[in-house]
Amino acid sequence: MKHLKSRSQDLRSLFENNITIEYVAEPLKAMPANAEVTEVLHWMQAQNFDVIGVETGDIISGYVERSSLMQSKEGTCGDYQRVFHPKELIAISTPLIKLLPILQQTPRLFVLDCNQVSGIVTCGDLQKAPARMLLFGLVTLLEMNLLRLVRIYYPQDSWQKVLKPERLEVAQRLWRESQERNEATDLLDYLQFCDKRELILNQPELLQQLGLKSKRFGERFLKSAEQLRNRLAHAQSLVSGSSWTELISLAEAMERLLILCEEVEIIEN
């Protein structure tokens, strides 16, 4: 049976054409340039803001960091204003998928809307639903492609001899339960992520084609992808036990692996 493939290019196209950083950015709160530092500092601490905009007239002309105000606590907000650097600015129309590698280089970005700064986006905003949708889409497509490769490299149910007996029993139990509900399809469809990982890593030729340096490296990498999938599925923090830099690196590596998976073309019988 020929299985239809969902392509990583389709996912990228969806997020490039329809989902921008507008859906994760927060409005940039601002205070007048002539506001007293003590007042601004008290307000920032109460709101737990690390940075706010500085208003000159009706325009946000710069920003101030809470850490800089705490050092002096004298004067006005404008005295500590920092000018927006071009590298700190990002257009509101920027595709969400292009935000990840940029955030890996900077802790925050100020959002430009009609040539005026109106918002802010940080790594923490990747916890929001649109970013989670992107990440879940990546890991789901990756898992689907791992299953496709299992079908290619293990014809005529030969995978059953490779999978550990206890893991095979789990798949068979889930398959039987689905049969009772008249939902069962193929036993392979009841393999879990860890099963697909083990089967893929058992093929030296695949390790080479997928750019996985070794079986140990591939196991560590795919376990990280599985852990991310689980955190996404259970609405948990995306950086539990890791960091934003590691998360973004993982997402980029998953996309590269997904593309390599899709390039594996062998005639399926």
Side-chain angles (χ1 to χ4, degrees):
M1 180 174 64
K2 187 74 174 178
H3 289 261
L4 295 177
K5 294 187 295 181
S6 296
R7 300 180 303 131
S8 58
Q9 293 93 326
D10 295 334
L11 180 70
R12 176 171 283 277
S13 177
L14 170 66
F15 278 87
E16 282 187 345
N17 297 328
N18 298 284
I19 304 181
T20 68
I21 66 169
E22 178 182 4
Y23 295 98
V24 297
E26 288 287 333
L28 179 62
K29 303 299 183 181
M31 292 288 278
N34 60 2
E36 292 294 326
V37 164
T38 51
E39 174 192 355
V40 174
L41 184 58
H42 177 75
W43 182 71
M44 290 180 73
Q45 290 172 331
Q47 300 294 325
N48 196 28
F49 288 156
D50 292 322
V51 60
I52 60 167
V54 177
E55 286 182 333
T56 303
D58 296 328
I59 298 175
I60 298 179
S61 55
Y63 67 95
V64 64
E65 296 175 317
R66 184 169 68 181
S67 58
S68 64
L69 299 184
M70 292 180 67
Q71 293 175 2
S72 176
K73 299 183 181 180
E74 295 180 354
T76 63
C77 186
D79 296 335
Y80 302 89
Q81 174 176 298
R82 297 183 60 177
V83 177
F84 296 113
H85 190 279
K87 290 185 178 180
E88 296 177 304
L89 300 173
I90 190 168
I92 197 169
S93 58
T94 302
L96 178 60
I97 199 167
K98 293 184 177 179
L99 175 65
L100 271 65
I102 301 175
L103 279 180
Q104 199 168 23
Q105 308 299 324
T106 181
R108 61 172 174 261
L109 290 163
F110 297 100
V111 180
L112 275 174
D113 187 6
C114 297
N115 293 324
Q116 289 193 15
V117 173
S118 63
I120 186 172
V121 62
T122 68
C123 286
D125 293 311
L126 298 180
Q127 299 276 18
K128 296 177 180 176
R132 285 175 173 268
M133 288 167 56
L134 169 60
L135 295 170
F136 196 76
L138 275 175
V139 74
T140 299
L141 280 180
L142 177 58
E143 186 172 6
M144 289 170 62
N145 271 272
L146 294 181
L147 179 58
R148 184 181 76 89
L149 295 181
V150 169
R151 294 184 188 279
I152 291 174
Y153 277 84
Y154 293 91
Q156 300 176 344
D157 293 331
S158 57
W159 60 272
Q160 295 189 31
K161 299 177 183 178
V162 178
L163 202 63
K164 294 176 182 177
E166 61 269 24
R167 295 305 311 162
L168 179 58
E169 289 176 9
V170 170
Q172 290 173 332
R173 175 175 55 80
L174 294 172
W175 182 64
R176 286 193 300 270
E177 290 174 357
S178 293
Q179 274 187 316
E180 293 172 0
R181 299 191 299 268
N182 294 320
E183 296 173 354
T185 51
D186 185 349
L187 179 58
L188 264 175
D189 291 322
Y190 296 88
L191 295 182
Q192 297 181 12
F193 196 109
C194 60
D195 303 321
K196 300 164 193 170
R197 179 186 69 231
E198 291 303 315
L199 292 170
I200 292 299
L201 296 178
N202 195 57
Q203 293 285 348
E205 181 184 343
L206 265 181
L207 289 178
Q208 184 177 3
Q209 290 191 66
L210 300 180
L212 300 174
K213 302 173 185 177
S214 65
K215 186 173 181 178
R216 184 177 179 181
F217 173 86
E219 182 175 21
R220 188 166 58 246
F221 170 54
L222 290 175
K223 277 186 177 180
S224 295
E226 182 181 10
Q227 290 165 357
L228 174 60
R229 193 277 308 270
N230 294 340
R231 291 197 294 270
L232 287 162
H234 298 292
Q236 297 171 345
S237 170
L238 298 181
V239 288
S240 176
S242 64
S243 66
W244 287 113
T245 299
E246 291 172 330
L247 172 68
I248 294 171
S249 295
L250 175 61
E252 292 179 318
M254 286 195 305
E255 186 176 16
R256 288 194 298 269
L257 179 59
L258 179 56
I259 292 171
L260 290 173
C261 284
E262 294 171 345
E263 290 175 350
V264 176
E265 290 292 348
I266 297 180
I267 297 176
E268 300 178 60
N269 296 322

